[in-house]
Amino acid sequence: MPQWRISMEQINFYKSLQTPCFVLDVAELKRSIDGYQKALDSNFQKAIVGYSVKTNSTPYCMRKAGDFGAYAEVVSHDEYELAVLCGFPTNRIIYNGPMKSKETFVEAVEGGAIVNIETKRELEWLKDLDRSQQYKVGLRLNINISHISEEDADGDNDNSRFGFSDETSEFADAVGYISNLPNVSLNGLHIHRTAHSRSVRFYERSVEYACNTIKKYDLDLDYLDVGGGYFGIFPNKPTYQQYSDAFYNVLKANDLDNLCLIVEPGNALVASCYTFVSEVIDHKEVEKDHWFVTTDGSRNDIDPFFKKSGYLDEEIYQKETPVVETQTISGCTCLEYDRLFTLKDKPLLCVGDRIIYHNVGAYTMCLTPMFIRYIPNIYALENGECKLVREKWTAKEFIQKTII
């Protein structure tokens, strides 16, 4: 029999679930949020951890993140409304991105949310604020990684379509526009940009670029929002504390360590707290000692970008089976390329056996298409108990709000 890396108690737990499904480990979510907040608090008088809703918009998970002290970081009017429905007060929402609606933008600014302006139309909307009150907004600064940290760039010109550029007149014009409004002041800078390296060096240089911009325009700010894109959950990778120390050291050197530091981790918070459970529904020997194993899950569920070359997977067998040379583990769709990984010289997986995928909470549920099989169950494991927090969709849910 295979040597289990998970306990018999966990094996029995995974066997009890209706597959396919995701499982949220609430304690792991809390550990991640607390870990980053503690690292920031060790350096800064005020620091905020924003839960990236686009990375995982499961309402139960969002509400728990709020309970654990995180703000909701949203990038559209739909996400803003979802955050409100999940219990986040307006003044604990960070509102980013180009897909704001005018109504939610005005509501957020007037309600004390951290609003980072992304588009020129948002600048125009500032005129619709109550003229009898004073308001504060942030502004997103465009960052070209090739220009500030060449070693971390992806290609010769790793530019960005987001934010206002100080390499042209865009940023200066936006600063000037806000300064001419009698009831609005600029109180923050948003510099979110993710490098594939996720290196501490990249964040040091990004913050240095922000500091130079702040000094160039003599900005009197309350916060610096450095965005997301961190590791923090993998061994032999930069830790939350290393990122925090890097932010602080650069800001301290520029006499700006009094700023509130805002981070918006996505992957770092939610990847490790979710697993995906699928069940084997068929196997076929298509060539000599080469088996295709079909599961009720899909690569769409855990790798919607179809970029991963491997997964943190474990197999749960019901009984002892012969070792076979090759098994290609496949999904349930009719797509030929719905193939997840290959097992070599392992016991043959049979109908009813289960496969567990770890660290699959980031950009999976949000991007999974409803192709052939609709969105699956989500369970939450909390205080030793498991409960269903999102029921799978059937055809009834699929056709809601449609005309047939």
Side-chain angles (χ1 to χ4, degrees), residues 3-33:
Q3 296 297 310
W4 305 119
R5 289 169 286 170
I6 53 179
S7 68
M8 285 305 302
E9 182 180 3
Q10 290 174 310
I11 290 170
N12 291 331
F13 165 70
Y14 287 127
K15 284 183 175 180
S16 71
L17 303 176
Q18 181 182 358
T19 62
C21 65
F22 288 94
V23 181
L24 164 65
D25 185 335
V26 176
E28 177 64 17
L29 174 66
K30 186 177 190 302
R31 184 199 65 79
S32 294
I33 294 172

Side-chain angles (χ1 to χ4, degrees), residues 107-238:
E107 177 184 310
V109 174
E110 292 184 342
I114 297 169
V115 179
N116 292 311
I117 290 177
E118 173 66 54
T119 63
K120 293 176 182 177
R121 68 176 185 171
E122 295 164 48
L123 294 172
E124 294 291 331
W125 292 343
L126 293 173
K127 294 179 180 179
D128 292 319
L129 297 171
D130 185 347
R131 294 297 182 93
S132 66
Q133 302 294 323
Q134 293 293 315
Y135 303 101
K136 296 180 178 181
V137 296
L139 193 63
R140 184 166 181 177
L141 176 65
N142 179 275
I143 290 183
N144 186 320
I145 297 179
S146 299
H147 295 173
I148 69 163
S149 190
E150 187 176 358
E151 300 95 319
D152 298 292
D154 184 13
D156 295 332
N157 186 17
D158 196 355
N159 60 14
S160 173
R161 66 187 183 91
F162 298 108
F164 294 84
S165 175
D166 194 38
E167 297 187 22
T168 66
S169 65
E170 296 276 345
F171 185 78
D173 290 345
V175 171
Y177 186 95
I178 295 171
S179 66
N180 287 327
L181 296 174
N183 62 329
V184 182
S185 60
L186 180 63
N187 80 319
L189 208 58
H190 183 210
I191 60 168
H192 173 69
R193 189 73 207 277
T194 300
H196 289 155
S197 66
R198 304 184 188 183
S199 69
V200 172
R201 171 192 60 218
F202 166 71
Y203 288 99
E204 289 173 334
R205 293 174 180 176
S206 295
V207 174
E208 183 68 38
Y209 182 67
C211 290
N212 292 337
T213 305
I214 292 169
K215 292 177 180 179
K216 177 180 178 180
Y217 292 94
D218 194 25
L219 302 178
D220 183 16
L221 305 181
D222 296 329
Y223 70 83
L224 177 66
D225 185 339
V226 293
Y230 315 103
F231 280 115
I233 59 174
F234 297 109
N236 304 316
K237 299 295 183 181

Side-chain angles (χ1 to χ4, degrees), residues 12 81 123 246 267 308 322 389:
N12 291 331
E81 292 168 357
L123 294 172
N267 193 327
K308 294 181 180 179
V389 296

